[in-house]
Amino acid sequence: MNTKKLGFLASVLFASLMFSTHANAAKVYQVATDAAYAPFESLNSKKEVVGFSVDILEAIAQKTGMKIKFINTPWEGIFATLPNGDRDMVISSVTITPERKQSMDFSEPYFEAKQLIAVNKKSKVSKFTDLKTIKVGVQTGTTGDEVIQKLQGKTSPNIKRFESTPLAIKELENGGVDAVVADNGVVVNFVSNNPKSNLKIIDDATFAKEYYGIAVKKGNKALIEQINKGLAAIKADGTYEKIYTKYFGK
Ligand code: ARG
């Protein structure tokens, strides 16, 4: 091979290398979120995804130089978007559970949560076991769904499943279900913002602590490491606390 040809080959190699590193830096991570879960993830009047989870991931992205794009994605099927490559991450108030860990990887926790019960103000329900034989609304496939299954049995006809938590709460307001079980932050947010809904909140000591994590495709160690690094950094420099206070007070 003559030097001209070699030079040409070298420049092609160089150009493609440049292109690939550039393309990598410009990668926009597609982030799935079910934006019907205020104050964690919801749509504002301009149909933009906003909320605590959004601010957290945006702060992480800023620290690590990642470019991200939030895509409102229905909860049902949200996890399937990771293995099929449609999405790179799911941030959707997802509780880290042993079952979910079998099919996806999680970041370190970014929020501690638990279940709460919402009922009509006139309801006689005072504890979790009071839900044994009444109609309970949950968002399909959530930890609220799991918790009520343990009490009523998987196939109980009294478990009413909805595609979103707001729909379950709507049904409670309409009297179609007697209670709703969902994450504390969302229940508290709804009840305090909707005083006319006549709902009250019941806590129960048996509800376990849950931790929200950011989910990625199983085996994507590099991405998890990057997210964890960013999360640690925003916890260390006070950004996390600032965002937390913005949504939940001191
Ligand atoms: N933390 C609960 C779970 O992981 C509920 C999450 C629902 N999130 C949402 N954006 N709808 O099952």
Side-chain angles (χ1 to χ4, degrees):
M1 204 183 296
N2 62 32
T3 43
K4 228 179 175 177
K5 249 189 186 161
L6 249 175
F8 173 74
L9 270 174
S11 58
V12 166
L13 194 69
F14 180 73
S16 57
L17 254 172
M18 282 308 289
F19 179 76
S20 67
T21 50
H22 181 81
N24 206 22
K27 175 168 173 72
V28 179
Y29 290 93
Q30 310 289 302
V31 182
T33 191
D34 169 27
Y37 220 61
F40 298 98
E41 48 268 346
S42 61
L43 294 179
N44 66 11
S45 55
K46 289 185 234 147
K47 300 267 178 247
E48 295 156 337
V49 182
V50 294
F52 176 79
S53 303
V54 176
D55 287 4
I56 291 294
L57 191 57
E58 264 167 4
I60 291 173
Q62 205 177 356
K63 281 272 181 245
T64 54
M66 275 190 279
K67 291 192 183 64
I68 51 171
K69 182 174 184 250
F70 290 93
I71 302 158
N72 191 11
T73 307
W75 178 256
E76 286 190 72
I78 202 166
F79 299 128
T81 65
L82 293 174
N84 75 20
D86 281 352
R87 308 282 190 270
D88 302 296
M89 301 177 213
V90 175
I91 187 163
S92 198
S93 309
V94 179
T95 301
I96 303 168
T97 68
E99 303 84 68
R100 287 174 181 166
K101 267 173 138 176
Q102 289 176 7
S103 53
M104 63 197 96
D105 286 339
F106 283 98
S107 68
E108 291 296 323
Y110 71 93
F111 191 81
E112 185 191 308
K114 61 185 265 183
Q115 297 302 302
L116 282 179
I117 303 161
V119 289
N120 187 279
K121 276 192 178 139
K122 293 191 193 115
S123 169
K124 290 195 183 80
V125 169
S126 70
K127 57 187 183 306
F128 181 55
T129 47
D130 291 342
L131 305 183
K132 179 94 185 154
T133 55
I134 63 175
K135 281 189 210 141
V136 179
V138 291
Q139 183 176 12
T140 311
T142 57
T143 42
D145 190 351
E146 282 169 26
V147 156
I148 197 67
Q149 280 179 42
K150 280 195 193 117
L151 182 71
Q152 293 197 355
K154 240 188 172 74
T155 56
S156 166
N158 279 330
I159 303 177
K160 306 292 177 196
R161 297 189 172 90
F162 297 86
E163 98 194 28
S164 78
T165 297
L167 282 175
I169 297 175
K170 250 275 107 27
E171 194 67 4
L172 175 62
E173 291 182 277
N174 296 338
V177 295
D178 307 306
V180 161
V181 178
D183 293 11
N184 55 343
V186 173
V187 171
V188 167
N189 184 73
F190 184 86
V191 172
S192 45
N193 288 335
N194 298 276
K196 287 199 193 111
S197 66
N198 275 320
L199 301 181
K200 65 177 175 186
I201 296 168
I202 313 272
D203 194 357
D204 191 290
T206 62
F207 289 139
K209 281 183 183 163
E210 298 184 18
Y211 296 94
Y212 294 170
I214 299 159
V216 306
K217 182 177 179 171
K218 187 140 196 75
N220 195 345
K221 257 190 158 172
L223 186 51
I224 280 297
E225 269 166 25
Q226 207 172 351
I227 294 168
N228 282 340
K229 232 166 124 188
L231 183 58
I234 65 163
K235 280 186 175 167
D237 76 355
T239 307
Y240 180 94
E241 202 188 327
K242 228 168 147 182
I243 298 171
Y244 186 96
T245 310
K246 172 177 165 193
Y247 288 93
F248 306 106
K250 287 268 173 211

PDB file of all heavy atoms in Angstrom, residues 33-37 41 75 79 91-97 100 113 115 139 141-144 146 164-165 183 210 212, ligand 1:
ATOM      1  N   THR A  33     -41.523   8.057  32.040  1.00  0.00           N
ATOM      2  CA  THR A  33     -42.177   8.382  33.294  1.00  0.00           C
ATOM      3  C   THR A  33     -43.681   8.422  33.072  1.00  0.00           C
ATOM      4  O   THR A  33     -44.146   8.868  32.024  1.00  0.00           O
ATOM      5  CB  THR A  33     -41.651   9.733  33.849  1.00  0.00           C
ATOM      6  OG1 THR A  33     -42.123   9.884  35.183  1.00  0.00           O
ATOM      7  CG2 THR A  33     -42.085  10.923  33.015  1.00  0.00           C
ATOM      8  N   ASP A  34     -44.411   7.881  34.035  1.00  0.00           N
ATOM      9  CA  ASP A  34     -45.874   7.947  33.976  1.00  0.00           C
ATOM     10  C   ASP A  34     -46.274   9.238  34.677  1.00  0.00           C
ATOM     11  O   ASP A  34     -46.383   9.277  35.901  1.00  0.00           O
ATOM     12  CB  ASP A  34     -46.477   6.717  34.666  1.00  0.00           C
ATOM     13  CG  ASP A  34     -47.977   6.848  34.884  1.00  0.00           C
ATOM     14  OD1 ASP A  34     -48.637   7.570  34.111  1.00  0.00           O
ATOM     15  OD2 ASP A  34     -48.500   6.220  35.831  1.00  0.00           O
ATOM     16  N   ALA A  35     -46.448  10.283  33.886  1.00  0.00           N
ATOM     17  CA  ALA A  35     -46.611  11.631  34.434  1.00  0.00           C
ATOM     18  C   ALA A  35     -48.035  11.898  34.927  1.00  0.00           C
ATOM     19  O   ALA A  35     -48.698  12.852  34.520  1.00  0.00           O
ATOM     20  CB  ALA A  35     -46.189  12.667  33.394  1.00  0.00           C
ATOM     21  N   ALA A  36     -48.484  11.033  35.811  1.00  0.00           N
ATOM     22  CA  ALA A  36     -49.804  11.195  36.441  1.00  0.00           C
ATOM     23  C   ALA A  36     -49.617  10.889  37.910  1.00  0.00           C
ATOM     24  O   ALA A  36     -50.371  10.106  38.507  1.00  0.00           O
ATOM     25  CB  ALA A  36     -50.817  10.251  35.807  1.00  0.00           C
ATOM     26  N   TYR A  37     -48.583  11.474  38.480  1.00  0.00           N
ATOM     27  CA  TYR A  37     -48.189  11.101  39.830  1.00  0.00           C
ATOM     28  C   TYR A  37     -47.603  12.295  40.563  1.00  0.00           C
ATOM     29  O   TYR A  37     -46.476  12.247  41.082  1.00  0.00           O
ATOM     30  CB  TYR A  37     -47.164   9.947  39.752  1.00  0.00           C
ATOM     31  CG  TYR A  37     -47.360   8.883  40.798  1.00  0.00           C
ATOM     32  CD1 TYR A  37     -48.532   8.154  40.862  1.00  0.00           C
ATOM     33  CD2 TYR A  37     -46.365   8.619  41.738  1.00  0.00           C
ATOM     34  CE1 TYR A  37     -48.710   7.177  41.830  1.00  0.00           C
ATOM     35  CE2 TYR A  37     -46.541   7.638  42.704  1.00  0.00           C
ATOM     36  CZ  TYR A  37     -47.718   6.920  42.735  1.00  0.00           C
ATOM     37  OH  TYR A  37     -47.892   5.956  43.698  1.00  0.00           O
ATOM     38  N   GLU A  41     -44.133  13.212  39.396  1.00  0.00           N
ATOM     39  CA  GLU A  41     -44.047  13.386  37.952  1.00  0.00           C
ATOM     40  C   GLU A  41     -45.459  13.645  37.435  1.00  0.00           C
ATOM     41  O   GLU A  41     -46.367  12.858  37.678  1.00  0.00           O
ATOM     42  CB  GLU A  41     -43.421  12.163  37.243  1.00  0.00           C
ATOM     43  CG  GLU A  41     -43.985  10.801  37.651  1.00  0.00           C
ATOM     44  CD  GLU A  41     -43.222  10.161  38.796  1.00  0.00           C
ATOM     45  OE1 GLU A  41     -42.104  10.621  39.109  1.00  0.00           O
ATOM     46  OE2 GLU A  41     -43.734   9.201  39.390  1.00  0.00           O
ATOM     47  N   TRP A  75     -47.929   3.620  32.668  1.00  0.00           N
ATOM     48  CA  TRP A  75     -47.343   2.742  33.692  1.00  0.00           C
ATOM     49  C   TRP A  75     -47.351   1.282  33.232  1.00  0.00           C
ATOM     50  O   TRP A  75     -46.365   0.568  33.393  1.00  0.00           O
ATOM     51  CB  TRP A  75     -48.112   2.918  35.011  1.00  0.00           C
ATOM     52  CG  TRP A  75     -47.648   2.044  36.119  1.00  0.00           C
ATOM     53  CD1 TRP A  75     -48.282   0.912  36.583  1.00  0.00           C
ATOM     54  CD2 TRP A  75     -46.464   2.197  36.921  1.00  0.00           C
ATOM     55  NE1 TRP A  75     -47.566   0.367  37.624  1.00  0.00           N
ATOM     56  CE2 TRP A  75     -46.451   1.139  37.849  1.00  0.00           C
ATOM     57  CE3 TRP A  75     -45.420   3.126  36.932  1.00  0.00           C
ATOM     58  CZ2 TRP A  75     -45.426   0.980  38.792  1.00  0.00           C
ATOM     59  CZ3 TRP A  75     -44.407   2.968  37.871  1.00  0.00           C
ATOM     60  CH2 TRP A  75     -44.417   1.910  38.784  1.00  0.00           C
ATOM     61  N   PHE A  79     -41.934  -0.878  32.167  1.00  0.00           N
ATOM     62  CA  PHE A  79     -40.660  -1.586  32.389  1.00  0.00           C
ATOM     63  C   PHE A  79     -40.196  -2.336  31.137  1.00  0.00           C
ATOM     64  O   PHE A  79     -39.008  -2.543  30.943  1.00  0.00           O
ATOM     65  CB  PHE A  79     -40.769  -2.541  33.578  1.00  0.00           C
ATOM     66  CG  PHE A  79     -41.094  -1.836  34.876  1.00  0.00           C
ATOM     67  CD1 PHE A  79     -42.164  -2.247  35.669  1.00  0.00           C
ATOM     68  CD2 PHE A  79     -40.348  -0.743  35.294  1.00  0.00           C
ATOM     69  CE1 PHE A  79     -42.476  -1.583  36.854  1.00  0.00           C
ATOM     70  CE2 PHE A  79     -40.647  -0.070  36.479  1.00  0.00           C
ATOM     71  CZ  PHE A  79     -41.713  -0.491  37.251  1.00  0.00           C
ATOM     72  N   ILE A  91     -37.843   6.686  35.408  1.00  0.00           N
ATOM     73  CA  ILE A  91     -37.943   7.366  36.706  1.00  0.00           C
ATOM     74  C   ILE A  91     -39.409   7.710  36.866  1.00  0.00           C
ATOM     75  O   ILE A  91     -39.957   8.534  36.156  1.00  0.00           O
ATOM     76  CB  ILE A  91     -37.008   8.585  36.837  1.00  0.00           C
ATOM     77  CG1 ILE A  91     -37.066   9.121  38.278  1.00  0.00           C
ATOM     78  CG2 ILE A  91     -37.281   9.671  35.821  1.00  0.00           C
ATOM     79  CD1 ILE A  91     -35.919  10.051  38.668  1.00  0.00           C
ATOM     80  N   SER A  92     -40.072   6.992  37.783  1.00  0.00           N
ATOM     81  CA  SER A  92     -41.524   7.104  37.859  1.00  0.00           C
ATOM     82  C   SER A  92     -42.003   6.721  39.255  1.00  0.00           C
ATOM     83  O   SER A  92     -42.990   6.005  39.397  1.00  0.00           O
ATOM     84  CB  SER A  92     -42.140   6.204  36.783  1.00  0.00           C
ATOM     85  OG  SER A  92     -43.474   6.543  36.526  1.00  0.00           O
ATOM     86  N   SER A  93     -41.261   7.182  40.264  1.00  0.00           N
ATOM     87  CA  SER A  93     -41.567   6.796  41.654  1.00  0.00           C
ATOM     88  C   SER A  93     -41.582   5.281  41.800  1.00  0.00           C
ATOM     89  O   SER A  93     -42.420   4.720  42.512  1.00  0.00           O
ATOM     90  CB  SER A  93     -42.910   7.379  42.109  1.00  0.00           C
ATOM     91  OG  SER A  93     -42.964   8.749  41.857  1.00  0.00           O
ATOM     92  N   VAL A  94     -40.672   4.633  41.127  1.00  0.00           N
ATOM     93  CA  VAL A  94     -40.644   3.171  41.107  1.00  0.00           C
ATOM     94  C   VAL A  94     -40.014   2.631  42.397  1.00  0.00           C
ATOM     95  O   VAL A  94     -38.854   2.928  42.699  1.00  0.00           O
ATOM     96  CB  VAL A  94     -39.844   2.638  39.903  1.00  0.00           C
ATOM     97  CG1 VAL A  94     -39.822   1.111  39.923  1.00  0.00           C
ATOM     98  CG2 VAL A  94     -40.411   3.168  38.593  1.00  0.00           C
ATOM     99  N   THR A  95     -40.785   1.856  43.126  1.00  0.00           N
ATOM    100  CA  THR A  95     -40.270   1.221  44.331  1.00  0.00           C
ATOM    101  C   THR A  95     -39.320   0.085  43.948  1.00  0.00           C
ATOM    102  O   THR A  95     -39.646  -0.737  43.087  1.00  0.00           O
ATOM    103  CB  THR A  95     -41.438   0.659  45.173  1.00  0.00           C
ATOM    104  OG1 THR A  95     -42.314   1.739  45.501  1.00  0.00           O
ATOM    105  CG2 THR A  95     -40.940  -0.021  46.441  1.00  0.00           C
ATOM    106  N   ILE A  96     -38.170   0.084  44.581  1.00  0.00           N
ATOM    107  CA  ILE A  96     -37.199  -0.995  44.348  1.00  0.00           C
ATOM    108  C   ILE A  96     -37.716  -2.241  45.073  1.00  0.00           C
ATOM    109  O   ILE A  96     -37.883  -2.218  46.295  1.00  0.00           O
ATOM    110  CB  ILE A  96     -35.816  -0.595  44.892  1.00  0.00           C
ATOM    111  CG1 ILE A  96     -35.336   0.720  44.256  1.00  0.00           C
ATOM    112  CG2 ILE A  96     -34.796  -1.729  44.664  1.00  0.00           C
ATOM    113  CD1 ILE A  96     -34.118   1.342  44.941  1.00  0.00           C
ATOM    114  N   THR A  97     -38.026  -3.286  44.345  1.00  0.00           N
ATOM    115  CA  THR A  97     -38.500  -4.529  44.977  1.00  0.00           C
ATOM    116  C   THR A  97     -37.637  -5.698  44.491  1.00  0.00           C
ATOM    117  O   THR A  97     -37.064  -5.630  43.394  1.00  0.00           O
ATOM    118  CB  THR A  97     -39.976  -4.836  44.618  1.00  0.00           C
ATOM    119  OG1 THR A  97     -40.061  -5.169  43.216  1.00  0.00           O
ATOM    120  CG2 THR A  97     -40.905  -3.661  44.916  1.00  0.00           C
ATOM    121  N   ARG A 100     -38.737  -6.910  40.980  1.00  0.00           N
ATOM    122  CA  ARG A 100     -38.347  -6.016  39.886  1.00  0.00           C
ATOM    123  C   ARG A 100     -36.847  -6.090  39.631  1.00  0.00           C
ATOM    124  O   ARG A 100     -36.405  -5.964  38.487  1.00  0.00           O
ATOM    125  CB  ARG A 100     -38.773  -4.574  40.206  1.00  0.00           C
ATOM    126  CG  ARG A 100     -40.288  -4.377  40.077  1.00  0.00           C
ATOM    127  CD  ARG A 100     -40.709  -3.002  40.530  1.00  0.00           C
ATOM    128  NE  ARG A 100     -42.161  -2.833  40.426  1.00  0.00           N
ATOM    129  CZ  ARG A 100     -42.843  -1.852  40.995  1.00  0.00           C
ATOM    130  NH1 ARG A 100     -42.198  -0.953  41.722  1.00  0.00           N
ATOM    131  NH2 ARG A 100     -44.144  -1.773  40.855  1.00  0.00           N
ATOM    132  N   ALA A 113     -40.545   6.152  50.763  1.00  0.00           N
ATOM    133  CA  ALA A 113     -42.006   6.265  50.718  1.00  0.00           C
ATOM    134  C   ALA A 113     -42.663   5.127  51.493  1.00  0.00           C
ATOM    135  O   ALA A 113     -41.971   4.291  52.093  1.00  0.00           O
ATOM    136  CB  ALA A 113     -42.478   6.235  49.264  1.00  0.00           C
ATOM    137  N   GLN A 115     -46.992   3.141  51.816  1.00  0.00           N
ATOM    138  CA  GLN A 115     -48.373   3.204  51.370  1.00  0.00           C
ATOM    139  C   GLN A 115     -49.209   3.998  52.374  1.00  0.00           C
ATOM    140  O   GLN A 115     -48.861   4.090  53.558  1.00  0.00           O
ATOM    141  CB  GLN A 115     -48.964   1.790  51.214  1.00  0.00           C
ATOM    142  CG  GLN A 115     -48.262   0.942  50.162  1.00  0.00           C
ATOM    143  CD  GLN A 115     -48.279   1.592  48.799  1.00  0.00           C
ATOM    144  OE1 GLN A 115     -49.338   1.889  48.255  1.00  0.00           O
ATOM    145  NE2 GLN A 115     -47.099   1.842  48.234  1.00  0.00           N
ATOM    146  N   GLN A 139     -53.636   1.472  41.481  1.00  0.00           N
ATOM    147  CA  GLN A 139     -53.077   1.523  40.125  1.00  0.00           C
ATOM    148  C   GLN A 139     -52.482   0.149  39.837  1.00  0.00           C
ATOM    149  O   GLN A 139     -51.688  -0.382  40.639  1.00  0.00           O
ATOM    150  CB  GLN A 139     -52.016   2.620  40.021  1.00  0.00           C
ATOM    151  CG  GLN A 139     -51.474   2.753  38.600  1.00  0.00           C
ATOM    152  CD  GLN A 139     -50.495   3.907  38.447  1.00  0.00           C
ATOM    153  OE1 GLN A 139     -50.038   4.501  39.415  1.00  0.00           O
ATOM    154  NE2 GLN A 139     -50.175   4.212  37.191  1.00  0.00           N
ATOM    155  N   GLY A 141     -50.553  -3.053  39.122  1.00  0.00           N
ATOM    156  CA  GLY A 141     -49.144  -3.435  39.143  1.00  0.00           C
ATOM    157  C   GLY A 141     -48.248  -2.567  40.000  1.00  0.00           C
ATOM    158  O   GLY A 141     -47.024  -2.646  39.901  1.00  0.00           O
ATOM    159  N   THR A 142     -48.846  -1.743  40.862  1.00  0.00           N
ATOM    160  CA  THR A 142     -48.029  -0.937  41.774  1.00  0.00           C
ATOM    161  C   THR A 142     -47.843  -1.694  43.084  1.00  0.00           C
ATOM    162  O   THR A 142     -48.448  -2.745  43.313  1.00  0.00           O
ATOM    163  CB  THR A 142     -48.713   0.408  42.077  1.00  0.00           C
ATOM    164  OG1 THR A 142     -50.011   0.134  42.620  1.00  0.00           O
ATOM    165  CG2 THR A 142     -48.837   1.262  40.836  1.00  0.00           C
ATOM    166  N   THR A 143     -47.042  -1.117  43.958  1.00  0.00           N
ATOM    167  CA  THR A 143     -46.866  -1.726  45.276  1.00  0.00           C
ATOM    168  C   THR A 143     -48.165  -1.636  46.085  1.00  0.00           C
ATOM    169  O   THR A 143     -48.409  -2.472  46.941  1.00  0.00           O
ATOM    170  CB  THR A 143     -45.695  -1.059  46.024  1.00  0.00           C
ATOM    171  OG1 THR A 143     -45.758   0.353  45.833  1.00  0.00           O
ATOM    172  CG2 THR A 143     -44.363  -1.561  45.506  1.00  0.00           C
ATOM    173  N   GLY A 144     -49.005  -0.644  45.784  1.00  0.00           N
ATOM    174  CA  GLY A 144     -50.328  -0.574  46.409  1.00  0.00           C
ATOM    175  C   GLY A 144     -51.162  -1.786  46.031  1.00  0.00           C
ATOM    176  O   GLY A 144     -51.849  -2.395  46.874  1.00  0.00           O
ATOM    177  N   GLU A 146     -49.917  -4.695  45.172  1.00  0.00           N
ATOM    178  CA  GLU A 146     -49.314  -5.858  45.860  1.00  0.00           C
ATOM    179  C   GLU A 146     -49.774  -5.961  47.314  1.00  0.00           C
ATOM    180  O   GLU A 146     -50.086  -7.046  47.806  1.00  0.00           O
ATOM    181  CB  GLU A 146     -47.785  -5.737  45.850  1.00  0.00           C
ATOM    182  CG  GLU A 146     -47.157  -6.103  44.522  1.00  0.00           C
ATOM    183  CD  GLU A 146     -45.672  -5.728  44.466  1.00  0.00           C
ATOM    184  OE1 GLU A 146     -45.036  -5.658  45.543  1.00  0.00           O
ATOM    185  OE2 GLU A 146     -45.176  -5.500  43.356  1.00  0.00           O
ATOM    186  N   SER A 164     -54.241   4.508  36.111  1.00  0.00           N
ATOM    187  CA  SER A 164     -53.468   5.554  36.790  1.00  0.00           C
ATOM    188  C   SER A 164     -54.025   5.740  38.192  1.00  0.00           C
ATOM    189  O   SER A 164     -55.175   5.380  38.469  1.00  0.00           O
ATOM    190  CB  SER A 164     -53.540   6.873  36.015  1.00  0.00           C
ATOM    191  OG  SER A 164     -54.777   7.513  36.264  1.00  0.00           O
ATOM    192  N   THR A 165     -53.214   6.331  39.059  1.00  0.00           N
ATOM    193  CA  THR A 165     -53.667   6.593  40.428  1.00  0.00           C
ATOM    194  C   THR A 165     -54.757   7.670  40.462  1.00  0.00           C
ATOM    195  O   THR A 165     -55.745   7.495  41.190  1.00  0.00           O
ATOM    196  CB  THR A 165     -52.461   6.922  41.325  1.00  0.00           C
ATOM    197  OG1 THR A 165     -51.612   5.770  41.367  1.00  0.00           O
ATOM    198  CG2 THR A 165     -52.894   7.267  42.741  1.00  0.00           C
ATOM    199  N   ASP A 183     -49.090   5.450  47.130  1.00  0.00           N
ATOM    200  CA  ASP A 183     -47.912   6.008  47.796  1.00  0.00           C
ATOM    201  C   ASP A 183     -48.272   7.272  48.590  1.00  0.00           C
ATOM    202  O   ASP A 183     -49.054   8.109  48.124  1.00  0.00           O
ATOM    203  CB  ASP A 183     -46.832   6.363  46.768  1.00  0.00           C
ATOM    204  CG  ASP A 183     -46.258   5.129  46.095  1.00  0.00           C
ATOM    205  OD1 ASP A 183     -46.833   4.033  46.257  1.00  0.00           O
ATOM    206  OD2 ASP A 183     -45.233   5.265  45.395  1.00  0.00           O
ATOM    207  N   GLU A 210     -40.653   1.964  51.646  1.00  0.00           N
ATOM    208  CA  GLU A 210     -40.319   1.666  50.250  1.00  0.00           C
ATOM    209  C   GLU A 210     -39.304   2.704  49.782  1.00  0.00           C
ATOM    210  O   GLU A 210     -39.278   3.813  50.291  1.00  0.00           O
ATOM    211  CB  GLU A 210     -41.580   1.754  49.377  1.00  0.00           C
ATOM    212  CG  GLU A 210     -42.651   0.748  49.784  1.00  0.00           C
ATOM    213  CD  GLU A 210     -43.877   0.765  48.868  1.00  0.00           C
ATOM    214  OE1 GLU A 210     -43.794   1.294  47.741  1.00  0.00           O
ATOM    215  OE2 GLU A 210     -44.912   0.230  49.295  1.00  0.00           O
ATOM    216  N   TYR A 212     -37.665   4.602  46.319  1.00  0.00           N
ATOM    217  CA  TYR A 212     -37.739   4.830  44.878  1.00  0.00           C
ATOM    218  C   TYR A 212     -36.332   4.771  44.272  1.00  0.00           C
ATOM    219  O   TYR A 212     -35.395   5.376  44.805  1.00  0.00           O
ATOM    220  CB  TYR A 212     -38.297   6.222  44.571  1.00  0.00           C
ATOM    221  CG  TYR A 212     -39.743   6.462  44.955  1.00  0.00           C
ATOM    222  CD1 TYR A 212     -40.262   7.753  44.904  1.00  0.00           C
ATOM    223  CD2 TYR A 212     -40.598   5.428  45.344  1.00  0.00           C
ATOM    224  CE1 TYR A 212     -41.587   8.015  45.231  1.00  0.00           C
ATOM    225  CE2 TYR A 212     -41.924   5.688  45.678  1.00  0.00           C
ATOM    226  CZ  TYR A 212     -42.413   6.983  45.625  1.00  0.00           C
ATOM    227  OH  TYR A 212     -43.719   7.254  45.948  1.00  0.00           O
TER     228      TYR A 212
HETATM  229  N1  ARG B   1     -44.168   3.299  44.075  1.00  0.00           N
HETATM  230  C1  ARG B   1     -45.200   2.528  43.467  1.00  0.00           C
HETATM  231  C2  ARG B   1     -44.612   1.378  42.695  1.00  0.00           C
HETATM  232  O1  ARG B   1     -43.477   1.369  42.379  1.00  0.00           O
HETATM  233  C3  ARG B   1     -46.102   3.331  42.559  1.00  0.00           C
HETATM  234  C4  ARG B   1     -45.415   4.078  41.469  1.00  0.00           C
HETATM  235  C5  ARG B   1     -46.367   4.633  40.431  1.00  0.00           C
HETATM  236  N2  ARG B   1     -45.729   5.619  39.649  1.00  0.00           N
HETATM  237  C6  ARG B   1     -46.348   6.364  38.725  1.00  0.00           C
HETATM  238  N3  ARG B   1     -45.711   7.324  38.143  1.00  0.00           N
HETATM  239  N4  ARG B   1     -47.570   6.096  38.398  1.00  0.00           N
HETATM  240  O2  ARG B   1     -45.288   0.452  42.387  1.00  0.00           O
END
